[in-house]
Every structure is written in C-alpha cells, then in structure tokens.
Amino acid sequence: MPIRPAAALLRAAALALALALALWAGAALTLWAGAALALSAGAALAHEGHDHGARDDLSAPAAAAPRGEAASEAVELVAVARDGALTLHLDDARTNAPLVGATVEVETPDGPRPAVATQEGSYVLAAPWLAAPGHHDLLVTVTAEGVVAVLPVDIDVPAPAPEAAPAGSRLRALLERLARADPVPAAAAAGGFVLGLAGPALLRRRGGASLAALLAVAAALLLGAGALARASAHEGDGAGHREEAHAALPAPAGPGADPDLARRLPDGGVFVPKPVQRLLVLRTAVTQEGVFRRSVALPGRIIPDPNASGVVQSSVGGRLSPPPSGAFPRLGTRVRRGDVLALVTPPVQAVDVSDMRQRQGELDQQIAIVARRVERYAKLAPSGAVAQIQLDDARAELSGLRDRRAALDAIRQAPEALVAPVDGVVAAGAAVAGQMAAPGTMVFQIVDPARLWVEALSFEALSVEAPAPGAASTARLADGRSLTLDYRGSGLAGRDQAVPVQFAVRDAPDTLRIGQFVTVLAATGEETAGLALPRASVVRAGNGQDVVYEHVAAERFVARPVRVAPLDASRVLIAGGLAPGRRIVTEGAELLAQVR
C-alpha cells in the first residue's frame, strides 16, 4: 500500500519535468524555424534587390556616365563626363540636327578651354578635374552659323560606391553562427520535446516499465547531445573557412548601364543618348496650329492623258510583219507621229483568188483590144482618116484599164501600214512576225509619259468638288512618294456605284506606270483647324492607337496619343491630343517605337 503513493508521486514529477522540457524545446524549435524563415526571406530579398537594381538603372540610365544638359532657343547641348574627358553633343534646338563646324569654348577650373570637333556634332575636351566627386558648374559658349549661345551646365559626379556585401549575407551569417553554436541545448530540447509528446501517453499506462522506458529515451537523447557537441567542435574550423571563402567571392555585377544604349523607361518614356540619336537620324519639328482644307482619301490609278496618247489598230485582218526599218519597236521606244510601226498583209481566200484571176483575165483582154485600137488610130490619125479626138479617147481608155489591172495586183501584194497616231513612248505592244491580227485588235499603245492622269473613284457624289485656287489635291504612291494633282472633272454617270473623278499629274516623274494604284487625297472646299505633321511622325502603338513622340528633353522622348485625319499625301492633320509649340519627332519615329 505505501508504494502506490510513491509511484503516483514519481509519475507526477516525471510528467512535470516532461512538460517543462517540452516548453523549452518548443521555444528552441520556434527560434530555429524563425532563422530558417529569415534565411529564405534573405534569399528572396537578395533576388528582388537585383531586379530593383535593374529597374532603377532603367529609370536613371544616365547614372553610369555623369552628364548634364542645357538648351537655348537655337542650340541644345548634352555634356557627358567619361574617362577623364568631357564630350559635348550640339544639336539644333528645333530640328535636332547636329551642329557641324561650331566653335565651342568651356569655362573650366583651369580657365577657358576650347573643345575639338571629333565627329558630326560632337566635341571633346580633356577634363581630368571631372574625376573628383562632387558638383561641377560649367559655362559653355557656342558659336555656330552666326548664333552665339552661352549655356550653363551642371554635372554631378557621384562618389565611388563602396563594395556592398551580397544580399542576405547578414542573415546567412546569423544562421551560420547558430549552426556553429553548442548543440547540447538543442539536443536536450529535442529530447524534452519527445518526452513531452510521449510522456503523457506512457504515463497513462500503469506500471514501472513505462516510466523506465521514458527515462531511458531521455537519457539517450542527452548522451547524444554530448556526442553531437564533440563532433561540431571538429567541424568549427571548416565552417569558418567556408564563411571566409563565401565572403571572398566578389559581389555580382549590377545590370549593364551603358550610357550609349537606348532603352524604354518604366514610365513609358524612351531614353536615347545623343550618339544613338545620330545613328537613328532623329529629326524634330515644332508644331504650329493652322487652318487647312479638309481632304478625302479616294482609291485611284494612273491612266494616260486622252489628249496625248493613242492606240495602233489594224482596220483589216491580216498577218503582221515588221516595218521597213526591219524590226518592231521595243517597249519604251520613243516614236513620232506618222512613224510606221508594223505592216498588216490581208489574207486572200481561194474564192477571192479565183474571182481576181477571172477579173485579171478580162482586164488583160480589154487592154489588148484597146491597145491594138490605139495602135491603128495612131497610124491613121496623121492622114486625117481618124480624128485626133478618137485617138486620145482610145489612149485614155487604155490607161484606165492598166490602172485597174495594177490596183488588182496591189490588193494581193501591198500590206496595210500601221502608223503612230501621236508622239510618245511605246507603252504596250504584242506584235510578233507572222501573227494574225483581227480587225480592231490593239497592236501598240503610245503614251506620253510627261502627260499622265489619275482617275479616282468617289463613293459619295458630293464628296469631291472643284477646289479653290491654290488648293491642290495630292496622291500617295505605295513607296511613300507623293504627286501633285490638278482637278480636271468628275463624271455624272456612276461606275460600279462610284463617281469617277479625274486629275492631271503635275510634273509627272518618269517612274510612273499606266495602271499603277495610288491613294488620292482630294481637297474639298471645307476648312478645319489643327496641327500639320509629316505622315512619318505618326506610328501605331501596340494597342492600335496612333501616337507621336515628343522630344521633352535632350535625351528623352515620350509617346503622346493623338487623333489624326488625312491632309495630303505627305502630311496628316492632328485633330486632337497635342498642343502647339511641342517638339515632335518627324523622322525616325518608327525606330523609337521599337525600343524596349
């Protein structure tokens, strides 16, 4: 009986000890879990820090090379400090064209120094004083094309940044110190944790065997902790070497910050260094508001001037043969009016040949009879037996018969000559020696290349009117070239549910071809206000919207959404989205849209 209270007391003491060890072990495990979580967070922060660095570099792309900029009404300047030299890029403030042949003088801490021209619009000056970190104030005097501009430039040279430790190194060091710490408490904590979990279950079972097993497990864990401590003591030096080796690794290089690399900024703008602008040939213009005549875009094609062109056709069917010159005219050959281009020999049927031979026989018989009569009259006329008038009539009859006989032979042998109706160039021709040409077949087409027309189709009867004096219509070719047109008239009869409208091409180039398709921008009598820009200024964004690029700074461009309307073959009308007085890219906008 006294043993039971002692056993119960012993079980209660063991349970309290197990609970205390469990609590201590839980705290230790929480610490280790927190350290592991901190390690993973440190690695994640290290990776995120690398990305943020790239984005920061994009937002400030000029940080790798200190630079400054200044501008006046006529001159735009960008100064770049690199490798102990100062490079000055000079451009026209309105057109962004490089200023060549300018005289540049810079006020430096060593006094005024001239800059030497190195390439188109770039000037270089040795500047060893720019190697010192800090703020540098410069005064640049530019003389170009009779214009003198004094431009103050500020350049901030940052101090060299210290080598930063790898991201998350502090968390790794903390974790390594925890790994090198005395493992006895950790092992003891693990033992207490096991006892805390298994103790209550074993104590519910009555008997000393359960209690003895519980105490044996705890003792084994405590002894294992000592062995783990001795093993970790031998590995301490190796861990220290690993830490030193890790610290000796160089920090990963940041993202490339090449100042001569165009890139798109996080805010959507485009950073384009001046050297890259020279390569892309970026040009700008200042927008000005004006009043323009509204234009209507119509499909059209090139046609010959009906007053300066013609076709060569055969009036009778026959076989084609070369002209007396010996060869058919080639395409593009210039011919004169009346030149023989080909011959057509009409075919003769068998029935016609029989009739012609019979007629020839009759004529030959009549000619022989009349010839003998003329011969007899000629003998009798001197004696007065035959009147002279009878002799003359016989001779006239003989001449007529001979002419009819010759004409009958000519029908069989003489071909028809095909001549050029106008002066011009052979635009089309399908003549082949021996080819049979039907009556009305076009053998050649003659066109004057200096006198061409454009025929457009208007699907609105009142959309195109005779423009006012000074308002010329234009046409745009597929390759971007433009033509100036003069209105000639529009038809009253519809053609394919459209009204034909004809224009004459003013100063037609030699490269135009008959039938070539064009887009006609016909000027109407309506007027509208807006900003006129070249068609190359407007590009299509990824979302399908029309945008133009504004030159907001010397090396920065921003896309502006706009609403456009057709104006003429080379310009568009900005009807909304842009204010006057802005510098807009007129050449190279498509290249800016490709920068990523």
Side-chain angles (χ1 to χ4, degrees), residues 559-578:
R560 306 294 188 192
V562 293
R563 185 176 71 255
V564 299
L567 183 58
D568 53 36
S570 60
R571 299 179 301 170
V572 294
L573 184 67
I574 306 299
L578 193 64

PDB file of all heavy atoms in Angstrom, residues 559-578:
ATOM      1  N   ALA A 559       5.775  59.220 -75.706  1.00  0.00           N
ATOM      2  CA  ALA A 559       4.712  58.965 -76.685  1.00  0.00           C
ATOM      3  C   ALA A 559       3.442  59.708 -76.274  1.00  0.00           C
ATOM      4  O   ALA A 559       3.035  59.655 -75.113  1.00  0.00           O
ATOM      5  CB  ALA A 559       4.430  57.470 -76.789  1.00  0.00           C
ATOM      6  N   ARG A 560       2.821  60.403 -77.221  1.00  0.00           N
ATOM      7  CA  ARG A 560       1.581  61.140 -76.992  1.00  0.00           C
ATOM      8  C   ARG A 560       0.485  60.584 -77.898  1.00  0.00           C
ATOM      9  O   ARG A 560       0.601  60.638 -79.123  1.00  0.00           O
ATOM     10  CB  ARG A 560       1.772  62.631 -77.283  1.00  0.00           C
ATOM     11  CG  ARG A 560       2.929  63.296 -76.545  1.00  0.00           C
ATOM     12  CD  ARG A 560       2.700  63.333 -75.056  1.00  0.00           C
ATOM     13  NE  ARG A 560       3.722  64.124 -74.385  1.00  0.00           N
ATOM     14  CZ  ARG A 560       3.887  64.132 -73.067  1.00  0.00           C
ATOM     15  NH1 ARG A 560       3.111  63.371 -72.301  1.00  0.00           N
ATOM     16  NH2 ARG A 560       4.828  64.871 -72.523  1.00  0.00           N
ATOM     17  N   PRO A 561      -0.594  60.047 -77.343  1.00  0.00           N
ATOM     18  CA  PRO A 561      -1.707  59.595 -78.191  1.00  0.00           C
ATOM     19  C   PRO A 561      -2.376  60.782 -78.886  1.00  0.00           C
ATOM     20  O   PRO A 561      -2.581  61.839 -78.275  1.00  0.00           O
ATOM     21  CB  PRO A 561      -2.663  58.920 -77.193  1.00  0.00           C
ATOM     22  CG  PRO A 561      -1.831  58.647 -75.972  1.00  0.00           C
ATOM     23  CD  PRO A 561      -0.800  59.729 -75.914  1.00  0.00           C
ATOM     24  N   VAL A 562      -2.696  60.615 -80.162  1.00  0.00           N
ATOM     25  CA  VAL A 562      -3.284  61.693 -80.952  1.00  0.00           C
ATOM     26  C   VAL A 562      -4.419  61.132 -81.801  1.00  0.00           C
ATOM     27  O   VAL A 562      -4.552  59.922 -81.986  1.00  0.00           O
ATOM     28  CB  VAL A 562      -2.230  62.362 -81.857  1.00  0.00           C
ATOM     29  CG1 VAL A 562      -1.195  63.102 -81.028  1.00  0.00           C
ATOM     30  CG2 VAL A 562      -1.560  61.343 -82.767  1.00  0.00           C
ATOM     31  N   ARG A 563      -5.217  62.053 -82.306  1.00  0.00           N
ATOM     32  CA  ARG A 563      -6.271  61.727 -83.265  1.00  0.00           C
ATOM     33  C   ARG A 563      -5.917  62.412 -84.578  1.00  0.00           C
ATOM     34  O   ARG A 563      -5.703  63.633 -84.611  1.00  0.00           O
ATOM     35  CB  ARG A 563      -7.629  62.214 -82.770  1.00  0.00           C
ATOM     36  CG  ARG A 563      -8.785  61.797 -83.680  1.00  0.00           C
ATOM     37  CD  ARG A 563     -10.129  62.204 -83.115  1.00  0.00           C
ATOM     38  NE  ARG A 563     -10.364  63.637 -83.165  1.00  0.00           N
ATOM     39  CZ  ARG A 563     -10.302  64.450 -82.136  1.00  0.00           C
ATOM     40  NH1 ARG A 563     -10.001  63.979 -80.939  1.00  0.00           N
ATOM     41  NH2 ARG A 563     -10.521  65.747 -82.278  1.00  0.00           N
ATOM     42  N   VAL A 564      -5.827  61.630 -85.641  1.00  0.00           N
ATOM     43  CA  VAL A 564      -5.328  62.152 -86.915  1.00  0.00           C
ATOM     44  C   VAL A 564      -6.429  62.089 -87.967  1.00  0.00           C
ATOM     45  O   VAL A 564      -7.394  61.324 -87.855  1.00  0.00           O
ATOM     46  CB  VAL A 564      -4.094  61.352 -87.396  1.00  0.00           C
ATOM     47  CG1 VAL A 564      -2.968  61.449 -86.394  1.00  0.00           C
ATOM     48  CG2 VAL A 564      -4.449  59.895 -87.652  1.00  0.00           C
ATOM     49  N   ALA A 565      -6.254  62.935 -88.990  1.00  0.00           N
ATOM     50  CA  ALA A 565      -7.151  62.973 -90.144  1.00  0.00           C
ATOM     51  C   ALA A 565      -6.290  63.192 -91.384  1.00  0.00           C
ATOM     52  O   ALA A 565      -5.225  63.824 -91.293  1.00  0.00           O
ATOM     53  CB  ALA A 565      -8.192  64.087 -89.997  1.00  0.00           C
ATOM     54  N   PRO A 566      -6.706  62.700 -92.550  1.00  0.00           N
ATOM     55  CA  PRO A 566      -5.888  62.890 -93.761  1.00  0.00           C
ATOM     56  C   PRO A 566      -5.839  64.357 -94.165  1.00  0.00           C
ATOM     57  O   PRO A 566      -6.842  65.075 -94.096  1.00  0.00           O
ATOM     58  CB  PRO A 566      -6.594  62.032 -94.809  1.00  0.00           C
ATOM     59  CG  PRO A 566      -7.999  61.894 -94.314  1.00  0.00           C
ATOM     60  CD  PRO A 566      -7.922  61.897 -92.812  1.00  0.00           C
ATOM     61  N   LEU A 567      -4.652  64.804 -94.571  1.00  0.00           N
ATOM     62  CA  LEU A 567      -4.479  66.182 -95.017  1.00  0.00           C
ATOM     63  C   LEU A 567      -4.007  66.206 -96.467  1.00  0.00           C
ATOM     64  O   LEU A 567      -4.633  66.804 -97.325  1.00  0.00           O
ATOM     65  CB  LEU A 567      -3.497  66.925 -94.110  1.00  0.00           C
ATOM     66  CG  LEU A 567      -3.288  68.412 -94.428  1.00  0.00           C
ATOM     67  CD1 LEU A 567      -4.604  69.160 -94.367  1.00  0.00           C
ATOM     68  CD2 LEU A 567      -2.280  69.024 -93.453  1.00  0.00           C
ATOM     69  N   ASP A 568      -2.880  65.574 -96.750  1.00  0.00           N
ATOM     70  CA  ASP A 568      -2.420  65.418 -98.121  1.00  0.00           C
ATOM     71  C   ASP A 568      -1.525  64.196 -98.174  1.00  0.00           C
ATOM     72  O   ASP A 568      -1.449  63.419 -97.213  1.00  0.00           O
ATOM     73  CB  ASP A 568      -1.705  66.678 -98.639  1.00  0.00           C
ATOM     74  CG  ASP A 568      -0.578  67.132 -97.725  1.00  0.00           C
ATOM     75  OD1 ASP A 568       0.104  66.262 -97.150  1.00  0.00           O
ATOM     76  OD2 ASP A 568      -0.386  68.342 -97.567  1.00  0.00           O
ATOM     77  N   ALA A 569      -0.815  64.021 -99.287  1.00  0.00           N
ATOM     78  CA  ALA A 569      -0.040  62.792 -99.464  1.00  0.00           C
ATOM     79  C   ALA A 569       1.130  62.696 -98.515  1.00  0.00           C
ATOM     80  O   ALA A 569       1.576  61.600 -98.182  1.00  0.00           O
ATOM     81  CB  ALA A 569       0.456  62.702-100.901  1.00  0.00           C
ATOM     82  N   SER A 570       1.678  63.805 -98.055  1.00  0.00           N
ATOM     83  CA  SER A 570       2.865  63.785 -97.197  1.00  0.00           C
ATOM     84  C   SER A 570       2.593  64.214 -95.768  1.00  0.00           C
ATOM     85  O   SER A 570       3.464  64.063 -94.914  1.00  0.00           O
ATOM     86  CB  SER A 570       3.961  64.688 -97.795  1.00  0.00           C
ATOM     87  OG  SER A 570       3.494  66.024 -97.908  1.00  0.00           O
ATOM     88  N   ARG A 571       1.417  64.740 -95.474  1.00  0.00           N
ATOM     89  CA  ARG A 571       1.123  65.237 -94.130  1.00  0.00           C
ATOM     90  C   ARG A 571      -0.218  64.710 -93.639  1.00  0.00           C
ATOM     91  O   ARG A 571      -1.076  64.320 -94.432  1.00  0.00           O
ATOM     92  CB  ARG A 571       1.106  66.772 -94.106  1.00  0.00           C
ATOM     93  CG  ARG A 571       2.392  67.447 -94.495  1.00  0.00           C
ATOM     94  CD  ARG A 571       2.238  68.954 -94.443  1.00  0.00           C
ATOM     95  NE  ARG A 571       1.181  69.419 -95.336  1.00  0.00           N
ATOM     96  CZ  ARG A 571       0.695  70.665 -95.353  1.00  0.00           C
ATOM     97  NH1 ARG A 571       1.198  71.559 -94.524  1.00  0.00           N
ATOM     98  NH2 ARG A 571      -0.272  70.996 -96.177  1.00  0.00           N
ATOM     99  N   VAL A 572      -0.348  64.719 -92.304  1.00  0.00           N
ATOM    100  CA  VAL A 572      -1.615  64.395 -91.658  1.00  0.00           C
ATOM    101  C   VAL A 572      -1.984  65.558 -90.757  1.00  0.00           C
ATOM    102  O   VAL A 572      -1.136  66.365 -90.360  1.00  0.00           O
ATOM    103  CB  VAL A 572      -1.524  63.087 -90.846  1.00  0.00           C
ATOM    104  CG1 VAL A 572      -1.298  61.902 -91.749  1.00  0.00           C
ATOM    105  CG2 VAL A 572      -0.421  63.175 -89.802  1.00  0.00           C
ATOM    106  N   LEU A 573      -3.242  65.624 -90.418  1.00  0.00           N
ATOM    107  CA  LEU A 573      -3.746  66.680 -89.554  1.00  0.00           C
ATOM    108  C   LEU A 573      -3.978  66.107 -88.164  1.00  0.00           C
ATOM    109  O   LEU A 573      -4.720  65.134 -88.003  1.00  0.00           O
ATOM    110  CB  LEU A 573      -5.048  67.249 -90.122  1.00  0.00           C
ATOM    111  CG  LEU A 573      -5.643  68.438 -89.364  1.00  0.00           C
ATOM    112  CD1 LEU A 573      -4.742  69.652 -89.490  1.00  0.00           C
ATOM    113  CD2 LEU A 573      -7.037  68.759 -89.887  1.00  0.00           C
ATOM    114  N   ILE A 574      -3.324  66.677 -87.166  1.00  0.00           N
ATOM    115  CA  ILE A 574      -3.516  66.268 -85.779  1.00  0.00           C
ATOM    116  C   ILE A 574      -4.740  67.013 -85.261  1.00  0.00           C
ATOM    117  O   ILE A 574      -4.698  68.212 -84.984  1.00  0.00           O
ATOM    118  CB  ILE A 574      -2.276  66.584 -84.921  1.00  0.00           C
ATOM    119  CG1 ILE A 574      -1.029  65.957 -85.550  1.00  0.00           C
ATOM    120  CG2 ILE A 574      -2.468  66.080 -83.512  1.00  0.00           C
ATOM    121  CD1 ILE A 574      -1.089  64.460 -85.666  1.00  0.00           C
ATOM    122  N   ALA A 575      -5.841  66.281 -85.150  1.00  0.00           N
ATOM    123  CA  ALA A 575      -7.100  66.900 -84.749  1.00  0.00           C
ATOM    124  C   ALA A 575      -7.284  66.957 -83.247  1.00  0.00           C
ATOM    125  O   ALA A 575      -8.181  67.650 -82.767  1.00  0.00           O
ATOM    126  CB  ALA A 575      -8.274  66.150 -85.382  1.00  0.00           C
ATOM    127  N   GLY A 576      -6.500  66.246 -82.467  1.00  0.00           N
ATOM    128  CA  GLY A 576      -6.646  66.255 -81.010  1.00  0.00           C
ATOM    129  C   GLY A 576      -5.532  65.482 -80.356  1.00  0.00           C
ATOM    130  O   GLY A 576      -4.908  64.598 -80.946  1.00  0.00           O
ATOM    131  N   GLY A 577      -5.268  65.828 -79.084  1.00  0.00           N
ATOM    132  CA  GLY A 577      -4.260  65.126 -78.304  1.00  0.00           C
ATOM    133  C   GLY A 577      -2.916  65.797 -78.236  1.00  0.00           C
ATOM    134  O   GLY A 577      -2.018  65.305 -77.548  1.00  0.00           O
ATOM    135  N   LEU A 578      -2.727  66.914 -78.938  1.00  0.00           N
ATOM    136  CA  LEU A 578      -1.420  67.567 -78.971  1.00  0.00           C
ATOM    137  C   LEU A 578      -1.624  69.070 -79.047  1.00  0.00           C
ATOM    138  O   LEU A 578      -2.490  69.555 -79.773  1.00  0.00           O
ATOM    139  CB  LEU A 578      -0.610  67.084 -80.185  1.00  0.00           C
ATOM    140  CG  LEU A 578       0.876  67.431 -80.214  1.00  0.00           C
ATOM    141  CD1 LEU A 578       1.602  66.763 -79.058  1.00  0.00           C
ATOM    142  CD2 LEU A 578       1.492  66.997 -81.539  1.00  0.00           C
TER     143      LEU A 578
END
